[in-house]
């Protein structure tokens, strides 16, 4: 795969940060954001601020999810191209003959291990971000319930 860094969209983050480190850091950041928003649910007085924050963070999260999917599409395209080239090589141009198609597929997957690893990491992170959107949606659903509970506790 070409030496394209799909994820270096923020110049303040050093280029040497690996994909694993980047995704780990982002998962922690999103976890902190969710925890912070959940803490704000304790006070009804902060709910108006929370609503603005929730909708903003939800939109950021959705846009990031779609960005990850677009990167995944590019990586899948590159993987299929390289897989096809390797399959053609091992089928027609190599002097080595494999006893069955599975053996050949394992050989190709071994050769393309780097791109497969990136693909799986991005897919896993996209699933995490998608679930984060779901958690934010749950917070949106909880806001009116929280207000209702506060009104009940005040005798209204």
């Amino acid at each position: 795969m070409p030496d394209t860094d799909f994820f270096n969209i923020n110049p303040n983050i050093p280029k040497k940060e690996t994909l694993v480190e980047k995704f780990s850091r982002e998962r922690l950041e999103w976890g902190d954001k969710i925890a912070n928003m959940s803490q704000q649910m304790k006070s009804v007085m902060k709910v108006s601020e929370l609503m603005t924050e929730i909708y903003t963070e939800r939109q950021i999260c959705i846009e990031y999810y779609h960005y990850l999917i677009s990167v995944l599409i590019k990586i899948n395209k590159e993987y299929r191209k390289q897989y096809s080239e390797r399959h053609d090589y091992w089928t027609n141009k190599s002097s080595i003959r494999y006893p069955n198609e599975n053996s050949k597929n394992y050989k190709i997957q071994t050769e393309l291990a780097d791109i497969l690893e990136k693909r799986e990491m991005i897919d896993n992170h996209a699933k995490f971000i998608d679930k984060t959107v779901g958690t934010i949606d749950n917070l949106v659903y909880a806001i009116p319930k929280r207000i209702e509970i506060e009104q009940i506790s005040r005798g209204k």
Side-chain angles (χ1 to χ4, degrees):
M1 184 171 166
D3 193 25
T4 306
D5 188 2
F6 294 111
F7 293 102
N8 196 12
I9 57 176
N10 186 347
N12 298 328
I13 298 172
K15 283 189 173 233
K16 298 202 188 268
E17 184 178 41
T18 66
L19 212 50
V20 172
E21 292 167 341
K22 178 178 176 55
F23 288 164
S24 179
R25 179 181 48 77
E26 288 177 356
R27 283 191 297 274
L28 290 172
E29 287 172 2
W30 279 107
D32 290 344
K33 287 179 183 181
I34 297 293
N36 182 35
M37 288 186 275
S38 296
Q39 282 294 329
Q40 290 181 32
M41 291 284 283
K42 286 183 177 181
S43 172
V44 173
M45 303 310 281
K46 292 184 180 181
V47 168
S48 63
E49 295 171 23
L50 176 61
M51 288 174 65
T52 305
E53 183 180 349
I54 282 180
Y55 289 118
T56 302
E57 292 298 335
R58 184 181 188 282
Q59 187 61 35
I60 290 168
C61 199
I62 288 172
E63 288 172 8
Y64 185 51
Y65 172 77
H66 287 283
Y67 170 74
L68 287 172
I69 296 302
S70 69
V71 171
L72 191 59
I73 289 168
K74 290 177 186 176
I75 287 179
N76 281 333
K77 180 180 176 183
E78 183 66 26
Y79 171 75
R80 285 190 296 272
K81 177 184 169 206
Q82 288 184 23
Y83 185 91
S84 177
E85 290 169 358
R86 299 311 305 157
H87 189 272
D88 181 50
Y89 174 79
W90 290 112
T91 303
N92 302 319
K93 299 174 184 164
S94 173
S95 60
I96 299 173
R97 296 292 170 227
Y98 290 94
N100 56 40
E101 199 65 23
N102 284 339
S103 299
K104 192 183 324 175
N105 287 336
Y106 290 135
K107 173 69 175 167
I108 294 168
Q109 287 178 350
T110 302
E111 291 177 344
L112 301 178
D114 289 342
I115 196 168
L116 276 171
E117 181 183 23
K118 280 183 186 176
R119 184 173 81 168
E120 289 170 5
M121 284 191 297
I122 293 167
D123 183 52
N124 184 49
H125 195 60
K127 288 176 185 174
F128 169 81
I129 295 296
D130 187 41
K131 296 294 183 185
T132 302
V133 170
T135 302
I136 293 171
D137 288 342
N138 290 338
L139 287 171
V140 169
Y141 173 76
I143 289 173
K145 301 296 180 194
R146 174 66 181 102
I147 293 170
E148 196 176 307
I149 290 169
E150 186 68 26
Q151 288 178 344
I152 290 170
S153 72
R154 290 183 181 176
K156 291 185 179 181

